[in-house]
Amino acid sequence: MAMKEFQAESKRLLDLMIHSIYTNKEIFLRELISNASDAIDKSYYRSLVDNNITFNKEDFYIRITPDKENRTLTIIDTGIGMTREELENNLGTIAKSGSLAFKNENELKEGVDIIGQFGVGFYSSFMVSDVVTVKSRAIDSKEAYKWESKGAEGYEIESIEKEIVGTEIILKIKENTEDENYDDYLDEYRLKSLVKKYSDFIKYPIKMMVKKSKLKEGSEKEYEDYFEDEILNSMVPIWRKNKNELKTEDYDQFYIDKHFGFGKPLKAIHASVEGMASYNTILFIPDKAPYDFYTKEFEKGLELYSNGVLIMEKCADLLPDYFSFVQGLVDSADISLNISRELLQQDKQLKFIAKRIKDKIKNELELMLKNEREKYEEFYKSFGRQLKYGVYSEFGMNKDALQDLIMFYSSTEKKLVSLDEYVSRMKEEQKFIYYATGENVEKIEKLPQTEILKDKGFEILYFTDDIDEFAIKMLMKYKEKEFKSVSSGDLGFEADEKESKKETEENKELFDSMKDALNGKVKEVRASKRLKSHPVCLTNEGELSIEMEKVLNTMPNGGNVKADKVLEINTNHEVFNIIKQAFEGDKDKLKMLSNLLYNQALLIEGLSIEDPVQYANDVCRLLK
Ligand code: ADP
Ligand code: MG
């Protein structure tokens, strides 16, 4: 019998496949099983239009049979089968879905990730086999044929006898090499887990004779092996089931089975969508951030299925970064099984699905905030930072979508509150949304700058995350209300401003000499109206706040930025009298006091002082 040659393109692809160093060889099984499932689908469709064909559910299955002795793995299906022409045409040509035209010659030679990028279907079986034999009998035919190939040279076809309609694919599994343990693909346990991983939700039963053991009859200790037919896949995926049939525990179990997280998910979102793109999805809001969530190692993404067949474990394009914590999957018949990664990125359907999923998550989170407050706060403790980061990143592009989801600790409520809640509580005369920054709530609570606002009964939001102030600068306003730091020059109290200006003017000479004594460390020294019990504090002018200075200076490329600082003095504090006396009599002491007070203010802000030894000496001098 004559050997036939493959078409040039197929030959090249096969060659690549055979010599591939691609690590994910195991996907061959997924490819063959989904071809088998497609073939059964086709029989089913035929039965719908052809009265001579009946579709008995029990007659349709896929069977996997490993044979260790002969090193063969056989995959049988009772699907539509192939005629001689179909064997030649379908298996002799490169799959229509992938096209080599996308890659230039050089890229092909490197070829490492070619399978990941193309999905090459049937040919992937050559990654694990020396010989591939296909026996097939087509649905309307009494004749059957055997197609066989040892690789790129070509294939042979001959007539055979085959009792039932369908296809049988026999892989002669390669010998083990140093890098690859091909025995795996003959191992019952491994095959079972591969089916679970990739093909669990194939609609038809995938059967395998599985070795089991039982007590020998009449014996209490002796066991004997026996074989039993087992269905390896669960067939109906949970996401295709009706929501009404499912309980919270079902979702929880699925979440655990899938290793999406450790505990129970905070929320499961299940949706079936028909229309522009049809898909089923289950999305989970995890209970806690994974240990690597806030590191570069964390990989976001949802599982992507094409009609029940897993095509990608982490499809990043389905989730925006700010929702990267969401786990789950999308199954769509509108996405082709063999779509390449590059094409997938541009895929209109996928983009559409991604947009819908984003909106869905946002809505669900808003509902959770509204109706399940405690749960939302729990969620927010784990993932709030990611949302605030989302407000800030991409030049604030997503701020509108996210502003209602972010929360901050409130000085009056003593818990996390949303911006909406804050604004709805604002006093009539209150112009701004006030915030204070610091390492933690306890430290902010003691900040001198907050005194006047507390005195007036205004609510203050406490910013304890590095990202907070940056995010808020990006927002600029919420519901037309500007954000204002308690440390900023102008707090919006006109009477106080006036008073402070007047007093600063009256003591101009004194404040100027203090400023000189501080030698460029501050832009100005002035009388404060925001202080009640504290003698001094630092405020800032301009866009860059003292807190931002702190954050930026801890970054590797933050440079050495400085906020414009102003030292404010409480003129009602007794310390002010001491300063006055020094100004009149002892210029040297004034210099020392200025530095002391400045350093004190730095310490309260959580900044380090330039010369701690000098500071300590000054304190000692005062004690004497
Ligand atoms: P794809 O599945 O993307 O079309 P494949 O390389 O996996 O590409 O398969 C090529 C073609 O071979 C299929 O389209 C189908 O026509 C045929 N084929 C493969 N396996 C089977 C099978 N088990 N039964 C019937 N036809 C099959
Ligand atoms: Mg295929």
Side-chain angles (χ1 to χ4, degrees):
M1 195 197 358
M3 161 110 66
K4 301 203 177 182
E5 275 193 36
F6 287 110
Q7 289 177 355
E9 279 230 307
S10 308
K11 204 168 162 172
R12 256 173 57 206
L13 188 57
L14 255 174
D15 218 30
L16 264 166
M17 207 62 61
I18 292 159
H19 301 115
S20 169
I21 48 166
Y22 187 62
T23 47
N24 208 18
K25 291 186 162 69
E26 64 187 31
I27 59 134
F28 82 93
L29 188 63
R30 169 194 89 173
E31 294 294 329
L32 295 183
I33 288 175
S34 68
N35 282 350
S37 168
D38 290 347
I40 300 176
D41 273 345
K42 285 176 194 160
S43 284
Y44 172 68
Y45 290 126
R46 274 292 290 279
S47 74
L48 294 179
V49 293
D50 189 338
N51 289 333
N52 296 324
I53 296 168
T54 45
F55 188 87
N56 288 322
K57 223 168 166 262
E58 313 80 64
D59 296 341
F60 293 94
Y61 59 87
I62 298 161
R63 175 177 293 287
I64 302 178
T65 314
D67 178 345
K68 279 195 176 138
E69 257 163 62
N70 296 308
R71 289 195 79 75
T72 59
L73 177 66
T74 304
I75 293 115
I76 291 174
D77 69 69
T78 56
I80 196 153
M82 283 177 274
T83 62
R84 183 184 181 120
E85 288 69 39
E86 282 167 339
L87 279 167
E88 293 219 24
N89 293 337
N90 297 346
L91 305 183
T93 37
I94 174 170
K96 297 127 249 137
S97 35
S99 168
L100 284 186
F102 283 101
K103 289 257 154 192
N104 67 37
E105 201 66 28
N106 280 333
E107 278 175 298
L108 266 183
K109 272 191 201 114
E110 283 160 22
V112 185
D113 194 27
I114 182 153
I115 295 137
Q117 291 174 8
F118 286 95
V120 281
F122 172 75
Y123 284 166
S124 60
S125 44
F126 284 95
M127 290 192 297
V128 299
S129 344
D130 292 323
V131 186
V132 177
T133 308
V134 182
K135 296 177 178 173
S136 197
R137 179 173 155 190
I139 194 161
D140 304 312
S141 174
K142 295 229 158 15
E143 284 148 35
Y145 296 90
K146 182 173 99 176
W147 178 104
E148 191 165 272
S149 170
K150 293 196 172 77
E153 314 85 86
Y155 59 90
E156 293 174 350
I157 288 193
E158 65 181 42
S159 271
I160 53 157
E161 293 287 317
K162 189 173 185 300
E163 215 174 296
I164 55 166
V165 168
T167 303
E168 187 174 330
I169 296 179
I170 305 147
L171 309 177
K172 180 88 184 166
I173 299 293
K174 289 184 183 183
E175 293 294 337
N176 288 344
T177 64
E178 230 169 77
D179 309 318
E180 190 82 24
N181 188 29
Y182 292 101
D183 282 358
D184 266 5
Y185 306 121
L186 297 166
D187 180 65
E188 216 176 66
Y189 182 78
R190 185 70 202 281
L191 290 167
K192 266 174 142 174
S193 66
L194 283 180
V195 170
K196 267 272 171 236
K197 177 170 177 190
Y198 291 110
S199 315
D200 196 32
F201 307 119
I202 290 283
K203 299 195 274 296
Y204 309 104
I206 303 170
K207 302 181 182 179
M208 184 163 80
M209 279 295 198
V210 176
K211 193 160 136 187
K212 305 215 160 144
S213 90
K214 63 175 179 197
L215 272 181
K216 250 188 181 161
E217 222 168 297
S219 161
E220 271 170 25
K221 285 195 286 292
E222 262 184 287
Y223 282 83
E224 63 178 358
D225 290 341
Y226 70 102
F227 283 87
E228 197 176 85
D229 222 3
E230 212 176 89
I231 294 175
L232 308 183
N233 55 330
S234 48
M235 293 192 276
V236 182
I238 175 171
W239 60 89
R240 291 243 179 109
K241 289 188 181 154
N242 195 322
K243 259 196 277 189
N244 305 333
E245 293 170 33
L246 296 161
K247 293 197 273 308
T248 313
E249 297 86 76
D250 295 321
Y251 294 112
D252 291 354
Q253 190 55 47
F254 181 64
Y255 180 80
I256 291 163
D257 286 348
K258 279 283 184 188
H259 305 291
F260 283 143
F262 295 108
K264 286 181 186 170
L266 272 185
K267 186 155 216 81
I269 305 162
H270 185 175
S272 299
V273 179
E274 304 274 328
M276 260 279 285
S278 300
Y279 62 92
N280 291 298
T281 181
I282 295 186
L283 305 166
F284 290 107
I285 311 285
D287 57 331
K288 278 191 194 68
Y291 70 93
D292 63 347
F293 184 66
Y294 288 105
T295 71
K296 276 203 220 76
E297 276 67 50
F298 181 79
E299 228 187 303
K300 65 162 184 173
L302 300 176
E303 286 187 355
L304 181 61
Y305 290 78
S306 156
N307 234 342
V309 182
L310 180 68
I311 57 174
M312 205 187 280
E313 273 177 289
K314 283 214 181 274
C315 182
D317 296 321
L318 282 169
L319 286 177
D321 278 342
Y322 50 86
F323 290 152
S324 62
F325 46 82
V326 174
Q327 300 278 3
L329 59 92
V330 171
D331 184 6
S332 173
D334 296 329
I335 289 176
S336 141
L337 178 63
N338 277 334
I339 191 164
S340 74
R341 267 165 212 262
E342 280 117 341
L343 280 184
L344 194 60
Q345 273 180 354
Q346 302 148 21
D347 192 81
K348 270 214 189 95
Q349 310 276 13
L350 190 84
K351 283 199 176 134
F352 178 79
I353 296 174
K355 160 107 186 31
R356 294 285 297 262
I357 283 182
K358 180 184 78 185
D359 294 343
K360 183 82 186 161
I361 298 169
K362 180 181 168 253
N363 287 345
E364 289 289 333
L365 288 175
E366 278 171 2
L367 282 178
M368 203 203 274
L369 171 60
K370 212 171 119 204
N371 304 326
E372 297 173 286
R373 177 61 175 232
E374 258 175 54
K375 218 183 221 188
Y376 190 82
E377 283 182 33
E378 201 182 328
F379 153 78
Y380 196 79
K381 277 180 191 130
S382 297
F383 302 111
R385 237 168 94 194
Q386 191 67 6
L387 297 183
K388 290 182 284 190
Y389 187 74
V391 170
Y392 169 72
S393 58
E394 292 181 79
F395 306 102
M397 212 168 81
N398 308 302
K399 60 183 184 183
D400 289 345
L402 298 173
Q403 61 182 359
D404 284 315
L405 292 176
I406 58 176
M407 296 177 111
F408 299 100
Y409 184 90
S410 151
S411 62
T412 55
E413 305 305 300
K414 308 283 175 212
K415 61 171 190 147
L416 290 168
V417 300
S418 71
L419 295 176
D420 188 48
E421 289 162 346
Y422 182 101
V423 169
S424 69
R425 275 194 294 264
M426 273 172 77
K427 291 181 186 254
E428 216 173 297
E429 71 273 24
Q430 190 178 343
K431 278 201 226 154
F432 301 116
I433 301 174
Y434 293 107
Y435 67 86
T437 52
E439 224 173 289
N440 54 42
V441 169
E442 293 70 33
K443 284 196 182 167
I444 299 177
E445 198 69 61
K446 292 184 191 138
L447 275 183
Q449 290 92 329
T450 60
E451 284 189 321
I452 184 175
L453 291 160
K454 285 182 182 157
D455 205 49
K456 290 185 192 288
F458 290 167
E459 185 174 357
I460 306 168
L461 299 175
Y462 288 1
F463 288 3
T464 50
D465 259 344
D466 283 355
I467 188 70
D468 290 350
E469 203 174 11
F470 291 89
I472 239 61
K473 294 258 165 186
M474 199 53 90
L475 265 186
M476 287 189 304
K477 283 180 183 173
Y478 179 83
K479 296 208 168 152
E480 297 304 309
K481 303 287 182 197
E482 247 179 83
F483 291 92
K484 195 60 114 183
S485 162
V486 298
S487 304
S488 83
D490 161 33
L491 286 179
F493 308 134
E494 273 156 38
D496 288 343
E497 288 304 314
K498 238 182 177 167
E499 185 72 10
S500 151
K501 267 217 178 86
K502 195 173 133 239
E503 277 186 27
T504 306
E505 208 47 52
E506 283 165 10
N507 297 290
K508 191 172 180 332
E509 248 178 277
L510 163 62
F511 288 145
D512 281 349
S513 8
M514 284 184 80
K515 183 188 161 186
D516 288 345
L518 289 172
N519 210 359
K521 291 187 190 104
V522 297
K523 238 187 122 211
E524 202 193 333
V525 179
R526 68 173 167 230
S528 183
K529 281 293 150 232
R530 75 183 84 211
L531 294 171
K532 295 280 156 201
S533 63
H534 283 265
V536 287
C537 74
L538 280 175
T539 63
N540 76 279
E541 272 177 359
E543 273 308 292
L544 191 72
S545 74
I546 295 169
E547 199 56 31
M548 288 164 96
E549 168 190 315
K550 240 194 291 182
V551 174
L552 289 173
N553 286 333
T554 58
M555 291 184 184
N557 298 319
N560 198 17
V561 294
K562 285 258 175 279
D564 285 335
K565 300 185 189 71
V566 173
L567 184 66
E568 294 200 2
I569 311 281
N570 183 352
T571 51
N572 296 325
H573 200 281
E574 53 182 315
V575 161
F576 187 59
N577 290 328
I578 301 172
I579 298 175
K580 267 201 203 146
Q581 280 166 19
F583 173 63
E584 271 144 32
D586 188 346
K587 287 278 143 51
D588 197 38
K589 188 168 179 195
L590 180 72
K591 193 171 171 191
M592 183 192 75
L593 286 174
S594 303
N595 273 294
L596 257 178
L597 291 170
Y598 171 74
N599 283 335
Q600 252 186 37
L602 282 179
L603 287 175
I604 293 170
E605 285 296 323
L607 292 163
S608 58
I609 49 185
E610 266 166 46
D611 191 347
V613 176
Q614 180 65 44
Y615 176 72
N617 288 342
D618 286 348
V619 173
C620 282
R621 236 178 92 194
L622 265 190
L623 292 175
K624 275 183 214 156

